[in-house]
Amino acid sequence: MFKEFLYLLRKSGLNVSLTEWVSLMEALDKGLHDSGFTGFYHLCRCLLVKSEADFDCFDRCFLDYFKGIPSQQELSQELLEWLEKPNSPMGEFDEQQAELNAQLSQAEVEALFEERKYEQREQHNCGNYWIGTHGMSVFGNVGMSPNGIRVGGQSEYKRAFRVAGERRFRDFREDSTLDIRQFQSALRRLRQFSGLVDLPRTQFDVERTIQDTAQQGGMLKIRYKRPRENTVKLLLLMDSGGSMEYYSTLCSALFQAVSKSRHFRELKIYYFHNCIYTRLYNEPMIDPKSSVPSDWVLSNLSEDWKVVFVGDAQMSPRELEGSYQGHGEDGPRCGLDWLHLFHRKYPHTIWLNPGDRPDWGEEWSHSYDTIASLFPMFPLTVEGLEKGMKKLLTR
Amino acid sequence: MDKFKGSQDYVVSEELMRAVNIAMVLQKPLLLKGEPGTGKTMLAEAIAAALKKELMIWNIKSTTKAQDGLYVYDVVRRLYDSQFGGDSVDNIEKYVKLGKLGDAFTHREQAILLIDEIDKADLEFPNDLLWELDRMEFYIPETGRTVKAGQRPVVIITSNAEKELPDAFLRRCVFHYIEFPDKELMTQIIRVHFSNLDESLLTQALNAFYRIRQLPQIRKKPSTSEIIDWIQALIHEGADPGQIISELPYLGVLLKKNEDIDTLRRNWR
């Protein structure tokens, strides 16, 4: 039954498996759709779709398959606005018109509706012809016709086609191909367990209990040990703004994965623009009011911190090697100097790059090559992240 | 099989009701997602009350392990007993204490098991429960006993989407996303909590509430429990319904963040 629907869903990017499909068949067999189309729609949705982000995609497929309504034919925003009039007075009830309307079949109403959608140019309420509110026509909102199509407004009679047509879940779509979960799994690799962390002794220590008990001639001596804890401290430095805008979704996925990973002993995230200069910023907005001196980071975070740079490493040579205003006499003179300082202080550092090496213009590839020769560089993909994590652990 | 139709003090949407019944008939866990404050946890209580079954709640924390829900073998207790005598320690069964999942399996009647906020736990947590939730049984190696559910419990799992759940786990669940109630449903919900509510106060409060929720600048949107508290406050202090929208009295009940209150005051016309 509806096998093509399964393939349509899969083709549209919904990861529906056979397990779920079989469940659906079983549910249909047991009559869980309440022999109704709305029931069928809900049943399909709650068994086949597992994230509200995919509801919209599902709605479109459902419409496509069961109705053949192409999704381009959406209602214009204007039309919906005309219909947002829930509290105006009712038009007059016309018994004759009601009888006429009642005779129209569903197909006829649909056809008329399509027709009006193209004809209608302005707001019409309380009437019996146009799409409008409080009237006698067979379409619109808060109307008095015994049958017809609801357009806009809060739905009361949740008929399947219309509910799907509302596409209420549009806001939840996330057209990101990369899964945060995949990133998280990659980040999980970044752990070094140690029992030397300063934690209360809560774990039962079998070895020492046996040993001490034996030494006391069988008198039980319970021993506890400190639980093993991840010791990795991570410093994430992200390029923000400018050419990085293009990769913002990817970077935000990484950011979310990192900030949701609770297994790091310590985690700090700072932002920079293009290259590191005197200050590192707390927010991606690059606001000097909320920033820390780069010096402070270098002197306060010990060298066992693992550092991950995220950036496209593309900038003009001036931004990398030109001296910037206000640099100290013997301090770092340019962005590259700062990168060298980080390189010297933190032996475990990698650079994640969301973009590729630019093959046009030496000006751009120059900065890329310079940075890649300083830090091991990995592409910001799941695979690249995994490799990078390995690199951070092994050196 | 009993059908769930909502209960006296919990108003459900038709879709949710359907999802609950699908999960019960197919004997699959029901996974509920939704904004905080849409009554995910309350649902389990309502189902238990409506079907007159016992509710068991397993609250998940970041330190919870899947094993905790099955059983705990109290080794230390057994060691102490062996040393200080008393009862015989041969019976290991005595030291195996079932967790919430084990309790639900061995309950004499069908139970409702709520696994609350599953996303709080470790990334691997849901995967560790796959077999147990699928087969509704688990094995205790220490005693050689298999705990098997006589009556498969109705399992309800809630998630606040803090972490994504693994695919293999999702595939076994019936999924429902609880939307934020629209005005109409909200009116019903509020009426359940307050009988004899002044009509104009209700309309004004609802209008103000949904307008606040629509402001994009608000970081933490007020939810159902907040509007109920707010109306409680408005009634208690005898607020004038005509001034609710313009004055927004007791705003602190609705908005919990200082910056939200400030932005609201700036943007409210």
Side-chain angles (χ1 to χ4, degrees), chain A residues 17 23 34 39 42-43 45-46 50 168 179 188 219-220 260 262, chain B residues 15 18 22 28 33 83 124 162 164 170-171 173-175 177 179:
Chain A
S17 73
S23 305
D34 290 343
H42 285 144
L43 181 66
R45 200 179 69 186
C46 72
K50 296 298 156 71
R168 282 172 300 168
D179 197 351
R188 295 233 94 184
M219 271 302 267
L220 182 61
K260 277 179 189 168
R262 302 210 183 111
Chain B
E15 293 174 38
R18 227 186 270 267
I22 291 170
K28 284 175 182 295
K33 249 164 107 178
Q83 196 164 29
E124 287 91 9
E162 272 184 29
E164 295 189 38
L170 289 175
R171 247 174 238 139
C173 297
V174 174
F175 174 75
Y177 179 81
E179 275 178 274

PDB file of all heavy atoms in Angstrom, chain A residues 17 23 34 39 42-43 45-46 50 168 179 188 219-220 260 262, chain B residues 15 18 22 28 33 83 124 162 164 170-171 173-175 177 179:
ATOM      1  N   SER A  17      12.705   4.434   7.603  1.00  0.00           N
ATOM      2  CA  SER A  17      13.257   3.092   7.441  1.00  0.00           C
ATOM      3  C   SER A  17      12.129   2.074   7.308  1.00  0.00           C
ATOM      4  O   SER A  17      10.960   2.383   7.517  1.00  0.00           O
ATOM      5  CB  SER A  17      14.127   2.737   8.639  1.00  0.00           C
ATOM      6  OG  SER A  17      13.289   2.486   9.737  1.00  0.00           O
ATOM      7  N   SER A  23       5.686  -0.641  10.876  1.00  0.00           N
ATOM      8  CA  SER A  23       4.823  -0.200  11.975  1.00  0.00           C
ATOM      9  C   SER A  23       3.576   0.460  11.435  1.00  0.00           C
ATOM     10  O   SER A  23       2.474   0.266  11.954  1.00  0.00           O
ATOM     11  CB  SER A  23       5.541   0.817  12.861  1.00  0.00           C
ATOM     12  OG  SER A  23       6.735   0.319  13.324  1.00  0.00           O
ATOM     13  N   ASP A  34      -8.566   5.406  12.342  1.00  0.00           N
ATOM     14  CA  ASP A  34      -9.969   5.730  12.594  1.00  0.00           C
ATOM     15  C   ASP A  34     -10.763   5.842  11.299  1.00  0.00           C
ATOM     16  O   ASP A  34     -11.704   6.636  11.217  1.00  0.00           O
ATOM     17  CB  ASP A  34     -10.084   7.058  13.367  1.00  0.00           C
ATOM     18  CG  ASP A  34      -9.585   6.914  14.781  1.00  0.00           C
ATOM     19  OD1 ASP A  34      -9.476   5.771  15.244  1.00  0.00           O
ATOM     20  OD2 ASP A  34      -9.291   7.937  15.415  1.00  0.00           O
ATOM     21  N   GLY A  39      -7.125  11.125  10.343  1.00  0.00           N
ATOM     22  CA  GLY A  39      -6.489  10.130  11.192  1.00  0.00           C
ATOM     23  C   GLY A  39      -5.301   9.518  10.493  1.00  0.00           C
ATOM     24  O   GLY A  39      -4.247   9.317  11.092  1.00  0.00           O
ATOM     25  N   HIS A  42      -2.327  11.940  10.576  1.00  0.00           N
ATOM     26  CA  HIS A  42      -1.657  11.979  11.873  1.00  0.00           C
ATOM     27  C   HIS A  42      -0.882  10.703  12.145  1.00  0.00           C
ATOM     28  O   HIS A  42       0.217  10.727  12.677  1.00  0.00           O
ATOM     29  CB  HIS A  42      -2.678  12.206  12.992  1.00  0.00           C
ATOM     30  CG  HIS A  42      -3.159  13.614  13.037  1.00  0.00           C
ATOM     31  ND1 HIS A  42      -4.450  13.940  13.349  1.00  0.00           N
ATOM     32  CD2 HIS A  42      -2.523  14.770  12.773  1.00  0.00           C
ATOM     33  CE1 HIS A  42      -4.582  15.256  13.290  1.00  0.00           C
ATOM     34  NE2 HIS A  42      -3.435  15.779  12.940  1.00  0.00           N
ATOM     35  N   LEU A  43      -1.505   9.593  11.755  1.00  0.00           N
ATOM     36  CA  LEU A  43      -0.864   8.306  11.979  1.00  0.00           C
ATOM     37  C   LEU A  43       0.466   8.246  11.228  1.00  0.00           C
ATOM     38  O   LEU A  43       1.497   7.890  11.796  1.00  0.00           O
ATOM     39  CB  LEU A  43      -1.792   7.184  11.513  1.00  0.00           C
ATOM     40  CG  LEU A  43      -1.288   5.768  11.685  1.00  0.00           C
ATOM     41  CD1 LEU A  43      -1.153   5.448  13.160  1.00  0.00           C
ATOM     42  CD2 LEU A  43      -2.218   4.783  11.030  1.00  0.00           C
ATOM     43  N   ARG A  45       2.230  10.691  10.226  1.00  0.00           N
ATOM     44  CA  ARG A  45       3.203  11.645  10.720  1.00  0.00           C
ATOM     45  C   ARG A  45       3.850  11.165  12.008  1.00  0.00           C
ATOM     46  O   ARG A  45       5.057  11.260  12.178  1.00  0.00           O
ATOM     47  CB  ARG A  45       2.557  13.009  10.936  1.00  0.00           C
ATOM     48  CG  ARG A  45       3.570  14.125  10.976  1.00  0.00           C
ATOM     49  CD  ARG A  45       2.930  15.472  11.173  1.00  0.00           C
ATOM     50  NE  ARG A  45       2.373  15.584  12.508  1.00  0.00           N
ATOM     51  CZ  ARG A  45       1.653  16.626  12.896  1.00  0.00           C
ATOM     52  NH1 ARG A  45       1.381  17.594  12.072  1.00  0.00           N
ATOM     53  NH2 ARG A  45       1.190  16.667  14.125  1.00  0.00           N
ATOM     54  N   CYS A  46       3.064  10.617  12.922  1.00  0.00           N
ATOM     55  CA  CYS A  46       3.699  10.296  14.195  1.00  0.00           C
ATOM     56  C   CYS A  46       4.506   9.008  14.122  1.00  0.00           C
ATOM     57  O   CYS A  46       5.347   8.769  14.973  1.00  0.00           O
ATOM     58  CB  CYS A  46       2.752  10.365  15.384  1.00  0.00           C
ATOM     59  SG  CYS A  46       1.554   9.106  15.516  1.00  0.00           S
ATOM     60  N   LYS A  50      10.264  11.901  12.839  1.00  0.00           N
ATOM     61  CA  LYS A  50      10.745  11.880  14.201  1.00  0.00           C
ATOM     62  C   LYS A  50      11.327  13.203  14.661  1.00  0.00           C
ATOM     63  O   LYS A  50      12.018  13.266  15.670  1.00  0.00           O
ATOM     64  CB  LYS A  50      11.804  10.763  14.356  1.00  0.00           C
ATOM     65  CG  LYS A  50      11.233   9.384  14.143  1.00  0.00           C
ATOM     66  CD  LYS A  50      10.155   9.049  15.166  1.00  0.00           C
ATOM     67  CE  LYS A  50       9.170   8.004  14.698  1.00  0.00           C
ATOM     68  NZ  LYS A  50       9.702   6.677  14.599  1.00  0.00           N
ATOM     69  N   ARG A 168       2.177  24.436   8.960  1.00  0.00           N
ATOM     70  CA  ARG A 168       2.473  25.172  10.179  1.00  0.00           C
ATOM     71  C   ARG A 168       3.894  24.981  10.660  1.00  0.00           C
ATOM     72  O   ARG A 168       4.390  25.697  11.492  1.00  0.00           O
ATOM     73  CB  ARG A 168       1.534  24.709  11.310  1.00  0.00           C
ATOM     74  CG  ARG A 168       0.180  25.293  11.208  1.00  0.00           C
ATOM     75  CD  ARG A 168      -0.701  24.642  12.208  1.00  0.00           C
ATOM     76  NE  ARG A 168      -0.792  23.208  11.970  1.00  0.00           N
ATOM     77  CZ  ARG A 168      -1.307  22.367  12.824  1.00  0.00           C
ATOM     78  NH1 ARG A 168      -1.729  22.771  13.966  1.00  0.00           N
ATOM     79  NH2 ARG A 168      -1.374  21.077  12.535  1.00  0.00           N
ATOM     80  N   ASP A 179      24.780  16.943  10.627  1.00  0.00           N
ATOM     81  CA  ASP A 179      24.056  16.628  11.831  1.00  0.00           C
ATOM     82  C   ASP A 179      24.888  17.061  13.034  1.00  0.00           C
ATOM     83  O   ASP A 179      26.067  16.746  13.117  1.00  0.00           O
ATOM     84  CB  ASP A 179      23.888  15.119  11.828  1.00  0.00           C
ATOM     85  CG  ASP A 179      22.833  14.689  12.773  1.00  0.00           C
ATOM     86  OD1 ASP A 179      22.363  15.529  13.539  1.00  0.00           O
ATOM     87  OD2 ASP A 179      22.504  13.512  12.742  1.00  0.00           O
ATOM     88  N   ARG A 188      33.364  13.563  21.038  1.00  0.00           N
ATOM     89  CA  ARG A 188      33.479  12.622  22.151  1.00  0.00           C
ATOM     90  C   ARG A 188      34.848  11.947  22.189  1.00  0.00           C
ATOM     91  O   ARG A 188      35.283  11.478  23.230  1.00  0.00           O
ATOM     92  CB  ARG A 188      32.412  11.524  22.037  1.00  0.00           C
ATOM     93  CG  ARG A 188      31.004  12.025  22.180  1.00  0.00           C
ATOM     94  CD  ARG A 188      30.279  11.268  23.214  1.00  0.00           C
ATOM     95  NE  ARG A 188      30.395  11.974  24.473  1.00  0.00           N
ATOM     96  CZ  ARG A 188      29.930  11.521  25.610  1.00  0.00           C
ATOM     97  NH1 ARG A 188      29.362  10.361  25.670  1.00  0.00           N
ATOM     98  NH2 ARG A 188      30.046  12.207  26.705  1.00  0.00           N
ATOM     99  N   MET A 219      39.304  -9.119  57.914  1.00  0.00           N
ATOM    100  CA  MET A 219      38.413  -8.053  58.366  1.00  0.00           C
ATOM    101  C   MET A 219      38.182  -7.121  57.189  1.00  0.00           C
ATOM    102  O   MET A 219      39.128  -6.585  56.615  1.00  0.00           O
ATOM    103  CB  MET A 219      39.055  -7.265  59.520  1.00  0.00           C
ATOM    104  CG  MET A 219      38.738  -7.848  60.882  1.00  0.00           C
ATOM    105  SD  MET A 219      36.986  -7.906  61.173  1.00  0.00           S
ATOM    106  CE  MET A 219      36.758  -6.351  62.009  1.00  0.00           C
ATOM    107  N   LEU A 220      36.924  -6.927  56.879  1.00  0.00           N
ATOM    108  CA  LEU A 220      36.614  -6.156  55.671  1.00  0.00           C
ATOM    109  C   LEU A 220      37.072  -4.706  55.797  1.00  0.00           C
ATOM    110  O   LEU A 220      36.857  -4.038  56.792  1.00  0.00           O
ATOM    111  CB  LEU A 220      35.106  -6.203  55.420  1.00  0.00           C
ATOM    112  CG  LEU A 220      34.651  -5.474  54.175  1.00  0.00           C
ATOM    113  CD1 LEU A 220      35.272  -6.078  52.943  1.00  0.00           C
ATOM    114  CD2 LEU A 220      33.149  -5.511  54.080  1.00  0.00           C
ATOM    115  N   LYS A 260      27.373  21.931  23.696  1.00  0.00           N
ATOM    116  CA  LYS A 260      26.528  20.929  24.338  1.00  0.00           C
ATOM    117  C   LYS A 260      27.333  19.764  24.889  1.00  0.00           C
ATOM    118  O   LYS A 260      26.818  18.956  25.646  1.00  0.00           O
ATOM    119  CB  LYS A 260      25.509  20.390  23.340  1.00  0.00           C
ATOM    120  CG  LYS A 260      24.294  21.261  23.194  1.00  0.00           C
ATOM    121  CD  LYS A 260      23.383  20.642  22.182  1.00  0.00           C
ATOM    122  CE  LYS A 260      22.252  21.587  21.827  1.00  0.00           C
ATOM    123  NZ  LYS A 260      21.548  21.089  20.650  1.00  0.00           N
ATOM    124  N   ARG A 262      29.351  18.058  27.296  1.00  0.00           N
ATOM    125  CA  ARG A 262      29.644  18.385  28.692  1.00  0.00           C
ATOM    126  C   ARG A 262      30.834  17.602  29.202  1.00  0.00           C
ATOM    127  O   ARG A 262      31.115  17.619  30.377  1.00  0.00           O
ATOM    128  CB  ARG A 262      28.421  18.055  29.543  1.00  0.00           C
ATOM    129  CG  ARG A 262      27.213  18.810  29.080  1.00  0.00           C
ATOM    130  CD  ARG A 262      26.295  19.083  30.237  1.00  0.00           C
ATOM    131  NE  ARG A 262      25.091  19.749  29.739  1.00  0.00           N
ATOM    132  CZ  ARG A 262      23.909  19.175  29.726  1.00  0.00           C
ATOM    133  NH1 ARG A 262      23.761  17.961  30.209  1.00  0.00           N
ATOM    134  NH2 ARG A 262      22.864  19.821  29.268  1.00  0.00           N
TER     135      ARG A 262
ATOM    136  N   GLU B  15      -4.908  15.700  18.077  1.00  0.00           N
ATOM    137  CA  GLU B  15      -3.729  15.018  17.540  1.00  0.00           C
ATOM    138  C   GLU B  15      -2.980  14.251  18.623  1.00  0.00           C
ATOM    139  O   GLU B  15      -2.549  13.129  18.427  1.00  0.00           O
ATOM    140  CB  GLU B  15      -2.765  16.036  16.933  1.00  0.00           C
ATOM    141  CG  GLU B  15      -3.298  16.719  15.718  1.00  0.00           C
ATOM    142  CD  GLU B  15      -2.362  17.820  15.244  1.00  0.00           C
ATOM    143  OE1 GLU B  15      -1.137  17.609  15.319  1.00  0.00           O
ATOM    144  OE2 GLU B  15      -2.859  18.867  14.818  1.00  0.00           O
ATOM    145  N   ARG B  18      -4.737  11.166  19.682  1.00  0.00           N
ATOM    146  CA  ARG B  18      -4.538  10.115  18.696  1.00  0.00           C
ATOM    147  C   ARG B  18      -3.163   9.473  18.857  1.00  0.00           C
ATOM    148  O   ARG B  18      -3.027   8.249  18.842  1.00  0.00           O
ATOM    149  CB  ARG B  18      -4.634  10.728  17.307  1.00  0.00           C
ATOM    150  CG  ARG B  18      -5.504   9.956  16.372  1.00  0.00           C
ATOM    151  CD  ARG B  18      -5.376  10.580  15.033  1.00  0.00           C
ATOM    152  NE  ARG B  18      -6.358  11.638  14.829  1.00  0.00           N
ATOM    153  CZ  ARG B  18      -7.536  11.432  14.261  1.00  0.00           C
ATOM    154  NH1 ARG B  18      -7.869  10.231  13.870  1.00  0.00           N
ATOM    155  NH2 ARG B  18      -8.373  12.410  14.081  1.00  0.00           N
ATOM    156  N   ILE B  22      -2.291   5.582  19.493  1.00  0.00           N
ATOM    157  CA  ILE B  22      -1.465   4.817  18.555  1.00  0.00           C
ATOM    158  C   ILE B  22      -0.332   4.126  19.310  1.00  0.00           C
ATOM    159  O   ILE B  22      -0.068   2.945  19.136  1.00  0.00           O
ATOM    160  CB  ILE B  22      -0.888   5.741  17.459  1.00  0.00           C
ATOM    161  CG1 ILE B  22      -2.001   6.222  16.541  1.00  0.00           C
ATOM    162  CG2 ILE B  22       0.185   5.019  16.660  1.00  0.00           C
ATOM    163  CD1 ILE B  22      -1.592   7.316  15.580  1.00  0.00           C
ATOM    164  N   LYS B  28       4.419   0.820  21.522  1.00  0.00           N
ATOM    165  CA  LYS B  28       5.710   1.468  21.318  1.00  0.00           C
ATOM    166  C   LYS B  28       5.799   2.650  22.271  1.00  0.00           C
ATOM    167  O   LYS B  28       4.777   3.210  22.661  1.00  0.00           O
ATOM    168  CB  LYS B  28       5.826   1.993  19.888  1.00  0.00           C
ATOM    169  CG  LYS B  28       6.094   0.924  18.871  1.00  0.00           C
ATOM    170  CD  LYS B  28       6.058   1.521  17.483  1.00  0.00           C
ATOM    171  CE  LYS B  28       6.267   0.487  16.425  1.00  0.00           C
ATOM    172  NZ  LYS B  28       7.579  -0.137  16.452  1.00  0.00           N
ATOM    173  N   LYS B  33       7.948  15.780  22.317  1.00  0.00           N
ATOM    174  CA  LYS B  33       8.828  16.933  22.303  1.00  0.00           C
ATOM    175  C   LYS B  33       7.948  18.176  22.320  1.00  0.00           C
ATOM    176  O   LYS B  33       6.775  18.112  21.982  1.00  0.00           O
ATOM    177  CB  LYS B  33       9.673  16.922  21.029  1.00  0.00           C
ATOM    178  CG  LYS B  33      11.140  16.640  21.280  1.00  0.00           C
ATOM    179  CD  LYS B  33      11.807  16.270  19.986  1.00  0.00           C
ATOM    180  CE  LYS B  33      12.700  17.320  19.423  1.00  0.00           C
ATOM    181  NZ  LYS B  33      13.351  16.908  18.195  1.00  0.00           N
ATOM    182  N   GLN B  83      30.244 -10.044  56.710  1.00  0.00           N
ATOM    183  CA  GLN B  83      31.204  -9.865  57.784  1.00  0.00           C
ATOM    184  C   GLN B  83      30.557  -9.872  59.156  1.00  0.00           C
ATOM    185  O   GLN B  83      31.053 -10.465  60.093  1.00  0.00           O
ATOM    186  CB  GLN B  83      31.923  -8.548  57.574  1.00  0.00           C
ATOM    187  CG  GLN B  83      33.174  -8.472  58.386  1.00  0.00           C
ATOM    188  CD  GLN B  83      34.063  -7.360  57.889  1.00  0.00           C
ATOM    189  OE1 GLN B  83      33.597  -6.365  57.359  1.00  0.00           O
ATOM    190  NE2 GLN B  83      35.350  -7.538  58.063  1.00  0.00           N
ATOM    191  N   GLU B 124      24.888   8.367  24.853  1.00  0.00           N
ATOM    192  CA  GLU B 124      24.675   6.942  24.578  1.00  0.00           C
ATOM    193  C   GLU B 124      23.465   6.374  25.309  1.00  0.00           C
ATOM    194  O   GLU B 124      23.048   5.262  25.044  1.00  0.00           O
ATOM    195  CB  GLU B 124      25.899   6.112  24.981  1.00  0.00           C
ATOM    196  CG  GLU B 124      27.086   6.256  24.080  1.00  0.00           C
ATOM    197  CD  GLU B 124      27.998   7.356  24.541  1.00  0.00           C
ATOM    198  OE1 GLU B 124      27.782   7.888  25.655  1.00  0.00           O
ATOM    199  OE2 GLU B 124      28.927   7.719  23.803  1.00  0.00           O
ATOM    200  N   GLU B 162      17.465  19.097  23.997  1.00  0.00           N
ATOM    201  CA  GLU B 162      18.781  19.640  24.312  1.00  0.00           C
ATOM    202  C   GLU B 162      19.859  18.875  23.572  1.00  0.00           C
ATOM    203  O   GLU B 162      20.901  19.405  23.238  1.00  0.00           O
ATOM    204  CB  GLU B 162      19.043  19.546  25.814  1.00  0.00           C
ATOM    205  CG  GLU B 162      18.536  20.741  26.565  1.00  0.00           C
ATOM    206  CD  GLU B 162      18.883  20.661  28.028  1.00  0.00           C
ATOM    207  OE1 GLU B 162      19.912  20.050  28.349  1.00  0.00           O
ATOM    208  OE2 GLU B 162      18.118  21.200  28.827  1.00  0.00           O
ATOM    209  N   GLU B 164      20.282  15.748  20.443  1.00  0.00           N
ATOM    210  CA  GLU B 164      19.541  14.967  19.477  1.00  0.00           C
ATOM    211  C   GLU B 164      19.590  13.507  19.879  1.00  0.00           C
ATOM    212  O   GLU B 164      20.568  13.047  20.444  1.00  0.00           O
ATOM    213  CB  GLU B 164      20.133  15.170  18.100  1.00  0.00           C
ATOM    214  CG  GLU B 164      19.946  16.606  17.695  1.00  0.00           C
ATOM    215  CD  GLU B 164      20.300  16.854  16.270  1.00  0.00           C
ATOM    216  OE1 GLU B 164      19.995  15.985  15.449  1.00  0.00           O
ATOM    217  OE2 GLU B 164      20.881  17.900  16.005  1.00  0.00           O
ATOM    218  N   LEU B 170      14.998   6.568  17.769  1.00  0.00           N
ATOM    219  CA  LEU B 170      13.823   7.267  17.241  1.00  0.00           C
ATOM    220  C   LEU B 170      12.934   6.333  16.441  1.00  0.00           C
ATOM    221  O   LEU B 170      11.715   6.422  16.469  1.00  0.00           O
ATOM    222  CB  LEU B 170      14.267   8.433  16.362  1.00  0.00           C
ATOM    223  CG  LEU B 170      14.888   9.607  17.096  1.00  0.00           C
ATOM    224  CD1 LEU B 170      15.405  10.641  16.124  1.00  0.00           C
ATOM    225  CD2 LEU B 170      13.875  10.244  18.027  1.00  0.00           C
ATOM    226  N   ARG B 171      13.579   5.435  15.695  1.00  0.00           N
ATOM    227  CA  ARG B 171      12.825   4.542  14.829  1.00  0.00           C
ATOM    228  C   ARG B 171      11.826   3.692  15.606  1.00  0.00           C
ATOM    229  O   ARG B 171      10.837   3.233  15.072  1.00  0.00           O
ATOM    230  CB  ARG B 171      13.803   3.619  14.098  1.00  0.00           C
ATOM    231  CG  ARG B 171      13.815   3.921  12.634  1.00  0.00           C
ATOM    232  CD  ARG B 171      14.864   3.140  11.941  1.00  0.00           C
ATOM    233  NE  ARG B 171      15.746   4.076  11.276  1.00  0.00           N
ATOM    234  CZ  ARG B 171      17.050   3.963  11.229  1.00  0.00           C
ATOM    235  NH1 ARG B 171      17.631   2.948  11.814  1.00  0.00           N
ATOM    236  NH2 ARG B 171      17.752   4.853  10.610  1.00  0.00           N
ATOM    237  N   CYS B 173      10.119   4.675  18.207  1.00  0.00           N
ATOM    238  CA  CYS B 173       9.151   5.467  18.966  1.00  0.00           C
ATOM    239  C   CYS B 173       8.031   5.994  18.084  1.00  0.00           C
ATOM    240  O   CYS B 173       8.166   6.130  16.889  1.00  0.00           O
ATOM    241  CB  CYS B 173       9.830   6.673  19.593  1.00  0.00           C
ATOM    242  SG  CYS B 173      11.082   6.262  20.765  1.00  0.00           S
ATOM    243  N   VAL B 174       6.926   6.290  18.735  1.00  0.00           N
ATOM    244  CA  VAL B 174       5.890   7.096  18.102  1.00  0.00           C
ATOM    245  C   VAL B 174       6.183   8.525  18.527  1.00  0.00           C
ATOM    246  O   VAL B 174       6.407   8.792  19.701  1.00  0.00           O
ATOM    247  CB  VAL B 174       4.491   6.680  18.594  1.00  0.00           C
ATOM    248  CG1 VAL B 174       3.439   7.614  18.056  1.00  0.00           C
ATOM    249  CG2 VAL B 174       4.207   5.255  18.186  1.00  0.00           C
ATOM    250  N   PHE B 175       6.225   9.422  17.558  1.00  0.00           N
ATOM    251  CA  PHE B 175       6.682  10.764  17.865  1.00  0.00           C
ATOM    252  C   PHE B 175       5.528  11.757  17.839  1.00  0.00           C
ATOM    253  O   PHE B 175       4.672  11.710  16.965  1.00  0.00           O
ATOM    254  CB  PHE B 175       7.737  11.178  16.838  1.00  0.00           C
ATOM    255  CG  PHE B 175       8.185  12.607  16.950  1.00  0.00           C
ATOM    256  CD1 PHE B 175       9.027  12.979  17.973  1.00  0.00           C
ATOM    257  CD2 PHE B 175       7.764  13.551  16.045  1.00  0.00           C
ATOM    258  CE1 PHE B 175       9.443  14.301  18.090  1.00  0.00           C
ATOM    259  CE2 PHE B 175       8.174  14.875  16.155  1.00  0.00           C
ATOM    260  CZ  PHE B 175       9.011  15.244  17.177  1.00  0.00           C
ATOM    261  N   TYR B 177       4.952  16.059  18.477  1.00  0.00           N
ATOM    262  CA  TYR B 177       5.457  17.367  18.869  1.00  0.00           C
ATOM    263  C   TYR B 177       4.294  18.169  19.411  1.00  0.00           C
ATOM    264  O   TYR B 177       3.315  18.397  18.704  1.00  0.00           O
ATOM    265  CB  TYR B 177       6.076  18.066  17.659  1.00  0.00           C
ATOM    266  CG  TYR B 177       6.612  19.436  17.979  1.00  0.00           C
ATOM    267  CD1 TYR B 177       7.861  19.562  18.565  1.00  0.00           C
ATOM    268  CD2 TYR B 177       5.874  20.575  17.730  1.00  0.00           C
ATOM    269  CE1 TYR B 177       8.358  20.809  18.882  1.00  0.00           C
ATOM    270  CE2 TYR B 177       6.367  21.827  18.044  1.00  0.00           C
ATOM    271  CZ  TYR B 177       7.603  21.938  18.624  1.00  0.00           C
ATOM    272  OH  TYR B 177       8.102  23.172  18.944  1.00  0.00           O
ATOM    273  N   GLU B 179       2.540  21.251  20.062  1.00  0.00           N
ATOM    274  CA  GLU B 179       2.615  22.652  19.661  1.00  0.00           C
ATOM    275  C   GLU B 179       2.169  23.520  20.808  1.00  0.00           C
ATOM    276  O   GLU B 179       1.405  23.094  21.667  1.00  0.00           O
ATOM    277  CB  GLU B 179       1.656  22.893  18.506  1.00  0.00           C
ATOM    278  CG  GLU B 179       2.222  22.570  17.175  1.00  0.00           C
ATOM    279  CD  GLU B 179       1.153  22.815  16.130  1.00  0.00           C
ATOM    280  OE1 GLU B 179       0.362  21.907  15.887  1.00  0.00           O
ATOM    281  OE2 GLU B 179       1.119  23.921  15.603  1.00  0.00           O
TER     282      GLU B 179
END
